[in-house]
Amino acid sequence: MQKMVSLCKRRSFIFQSSEIYGGLRSCYDYGPLGVELKRNVKDQWWRTVVHGREDVVGIDASIIMHPRVWEASGHVSGFTDPLVDCKKCKGRFRADKISTETASLKCPDCGNEDPKKFSEIRRFNLMFETHLGAVEDSASVVYLRPETAQAMFVDFEVVQAAGRLKLPFGIAQIGKSFRNEIVVEHFIFRSCEFEQMEVEYFTRPGEADKWFEHWKEERISWYTGLGIRPEKLRFREHSADERAHYAQACFDIDYEFPWGWDELEGIANRTDYDLKKHSEASGKDLTYFDPQTHEHITPYVIEPSAGADRSVLAFLLDAYTEEPPPPGTKNPRTVLRLDPRLAPTKVAVLPLKKNKPELVAVAREIVRGFFEKGINAFYDEKDSIGRRYRRQDESGTPFCITVDFQSLKDRTVTIRHRDSMKQDRIGIEDATPIVADKVF
Ligand code: GAP
């Protein structure tokens, strides 16, 4: 994990926010490579669950919603974690995370097990509260959303009616969520500001189990289809006392992170809980008129809920490889074997020598050709060719194109493949189609 964190900083993927002021706990910034990777993850998710299906549409809702949304959804009263302080070392923890098999507490930092040396367990609401408008009174309290899901329930009727959508159908959204987590941990795994990629899939109640299985399979295939090794993924069913207040059934897709198996995505059967709660609280009819049975029904909801940041972390960790030094070199090779569709830079274009204007001119012409096709290319002329290859390997760039003296004679270049390090000689005109074939 430490190697990944330092590579992320070195290559400007992800680093601590506000570093010049000492950094801010649990807040991270995505640099030039990180933002491309994260955008690619989100684009792939959108392509698969929205553009790749007839039955899902997208929305982009406001982060701040009417405060009554969170009362009706149960978040104001129920979205809490149990907070406990260790009086010995002054550490602060989630009580459920540090309780032992015998239900007593053990401090993970100092090992304290004396019940008298722990504070009372207090319930702590995870929602960030702020005020809308100039006056900070109780009437102006609003919350930063802790999940994107509620907008899909609140907007259910308007989206369904406008699109004349027939059950089953889904509403999808990607966006920021905020939780005042007691424990922030493992780099971007658990932070206070993160992005979710969620679908609320509305079904007839009797068909909910079938669609639950469908989404479990769809979602795990999405990760493996983008290169995560299947043996690093598993389903884990939530026990009854672990499930969220709204869920009848819930499975996590877990990834085997360096600290052990942990949640990547949750897939829940939220039943008709949310639509009914919002209908009661708002007085609006949130039922669906079923043209088959001529009845008004409240649909059940299957919710695959993924974290964009956790997905980025899993894709990075799974792609990270250290290899013995390639022939003729001394240092081990670090490679990010990212799927070309996720790779931040798709291709690097390298003139063999920077002080040869004729090589530079051809390399620049090739870069322009990639840009015209919307392919994120990178021009690099600094250092030896070997060092430039290493930098691109570490950044996950799937292709390097080298312009050499032969290129000037016959308009051919070499294309180097990141994973195999194999080099092929190709015509300049073939470079764009070869790369485009793999990166879209
Ligand atoms: N709408 C359901 C929901 O929000 P969740 O299991 O609390 O369910 C879904 O969150 C996903 O959001 C998680 O599987 C994880 O990927 C991501 N997530 C949740 N809390 C997070 C945090 N504090 N930091 C980063 N990602 C988080």
Side-chain angles (χ1 to χ4, degrees):
M1 190 64 186
Q2 265 323 307
K3 285 182 178 172
M4 177 50 69
V5 173
S6 74
L7 183 143
C8 280
K9 184 167 181 197
R10 191 167 66 244
R11 291 272 157 248
S12 207
F13 274 94
I14 306 162
F15 42 84
Q16 182 90 64
S17 152
S18 324
E19 233 173 18
I20 61 165
Y21 290 102
L24 188 60
R25 184 179 154 267
S26 121
C27 295
Y28 292 94
D29 293 348
Y30 285 73
L33 292 189
V35 70
E36 295 296 334
L37 173 58
K38 194 177 185 189
R39 283 176 69 115
N40 293 340
V41 167
K42 291 188 287 181
D43 284 352
Q44 286 299 323
W45 184 89
W46 197 264
R47 282 174 82 129
T48 307
V49 309
V50 184
H51 291 171
R53 310 178 56 114
E54 273 184 52
D55 55 353
V56 179
V57 295
I59 61 168
D60 183 15
S62 163
I63 286 174
I64 297 174
M65 303 175 74
H66 197 292
R68 287 185 60 206
V69 168
W70 307 107
E71 286 163 22
S73 68
H75 283 81
V76 170
S77 56
F79 195 55
T80 57
D81 274 344
L83 172 73
V84 72
D85 292 322
C86 171
K87 292 185 185 165
K88 207 167 155 201
C89 70
K90 309 276 182 258
R92 177 162 282 181
F93 306 99
R94 264 175 65 174
D96 56 329
K97 294 271 180 192
I98 64 162
S99 62
T100 62
E101 275 159 24
T102 57
S104 58
L105 298 173
K106 181 171 181 187
C107 176
D109 284 358
C110 71
N112 168 33
E113 288 187 79
D114 180 353
K116 291 198 215 78
K117 295 222 162 85
F118 283 102
S119 69
E120 288 287 297
I121 297 176
R122 287 155 291 153
R123 301 301 307 185
F124 172 79
N125 197 300
L126 298 178
M127 283 198 294
F128 279 103
E129 218 179 271
T130 185
H131 295 267
L132 200 60
V135 185
E136 291 196 7
D137 59 8
S138 59
S140 68
V141 168
V142 287
Y143 303 97
L144 302 186
R145 67 182 175 199
E147 60 171 11
T148 64
Q150 291 305 319
M152 278 80 105
F153 303 127
V154 172
D155 293 347
F156 166 78
E157 201 268 328
V158 65
V159 175
Q160 187 275 328
R164 287 187 283 159
L165 304 173
K166 304 255 178 308
L167 287 183
F169 69 88
I171 308 180
Q173 179 170 206
I174 298 179
K176 289 255 179 173
S177 294
F178 302 83
R179 295 182 191 176
N180 202 356
E181 298 278 2
I182 298 168
V183 180
V184 288
E185 56 187 351
H186 307 309
F187 196 34
I188 54 169
F189 178 81
R190 191 183 312 282
S191 51
C192 293
E193 176 181 341
F194 52 96
E195 259 180 295
Q196 290 187 308
M197 310 185 288
E198 297 196 292
V199 187
E200 307 304 318
Y201 195 76
F202 300 93
T203 82
R204 290 186 176 79
E207 295 180 349
D209 291 346
K210 180 180 92 183
W211 287 107
F212 190 63
E213 290 309 314
H214 167 88
W215 279 105
K216 276 170 61 188
E217 290 315 314
E218 281 292 300
R219 293 303 307 141
I220 204 149
S221 314
W222 183 76
Y223 293 104
T224 54
L226 285 168
I228 299 225
R229 289 163 289 171
E231 65 273 21
K232 301 286 273 184
L233 295 167
R234 70 170 190 195
F235 284 116
R236 189 184 69 84
E237 186 171 11
H238 280 208
S239 57
D241 57 346
E242 197 188 348
R243 284 199 291 265
H245 59 275
Y246 48 72
Q248 185 186 72
C250 187
F251 276 78
D252 284 346
I253 297 179
D254 281 356
Y255 177 75
E256 194 178 15
F257 288 96
W259 59 91
W261 291 97
D262 220 331
E263 177 186 342
L264 192 53
E265 165 160 356
I267 301 164
N269 177 350
R270 291 181 80 129
T271 68
D272 53 9
Y273 177 90
D274 302 270
L275 287 179
K276 281 198 165 148
K277 287 280 175 199
H278 286 302
S279 188
E280 280 162 28
S282 66
K284 293 278 185 295
D285 179 10
L286 297 179
T287 58
Y288 168 86
F289 178 70
D290 191 338
Q292 281 174 16
T293 60
H294 293 270
E295 280 173 350
H296 285 272
I297 56 170
T298 306
Y300 267 36
V301 174
I302 306 303
E303 176 193 67
S305 172
D309 309 84
R310 271 188 206 180
S311 300
V312 164
L313 185 58
F315 282 121
L316 279 171
L317 287 165
D318 217 67
Y320 184 90
T321 333
E322 281 177 9
E323 293 176 358
T329 61
K330 283 201 297 283
N331 296 328
R333 184 171 91 109
T334 303
V335 200
L336 275 187
R337 292 174 177 271
L338 288 168
D339 185 288
R341 291 166 293 175
L342 298 182
T345 308
K346 307 303 185 189
V347 55
V349 183
L350 321 169
L352 192 61
K353 300 233 180 295
K354 71 171 173 187
N355 51 3
K356 295 283 173 203
E358 55 281 36
L359 295 183
V360 170
V362 175
R364 292 272 185 211
E365 173 203 326
I366 296 173
V367 169
R368 276 198 303 278
F370 283 121
F371 286 165
E372 275 162 20
K373 295 285 176 222
I375 294 172
N376 192 22
F378 180 73
Y379 172 84
D380 190 8
E381 60 179 26
K382 195 166 166 282
D383 296 325
S384 72
I385 200 78
R387 289 179 76 149
R388 282 183 269 169
Y389 285 154
R390 290 304 180 84
R391 282 202 290 268
Q392 296 307 321
D393 288 345
E394 251 196 3
S395 305
T397 308
F399 302 103
C400 286
I401 287 186
T402 305
V403 179
D404 54 21
F405 294 102
Q406 193 180 329
S407 312
L408 303 177
K409 290 188 206 136
D410 61 4
R411 284 190 64 80
T412 64
V413 285
T414 60
I415 182 163
R416 174 184 181 271
H417 302 266
R418 176 196 65 202
D419 296 346
S420 63
M421 292 188 285
K422 202 168 146 273
Q423 300 195 18
D424 297 322
R425 193 103 209 152
I426 58 165
I428 287 179
E429 278 35 75
D430 295 331
T432 307
I434 288 173
V435 174
D437 184 48
K438 296 280 184 242
V439 301
F440 289 121

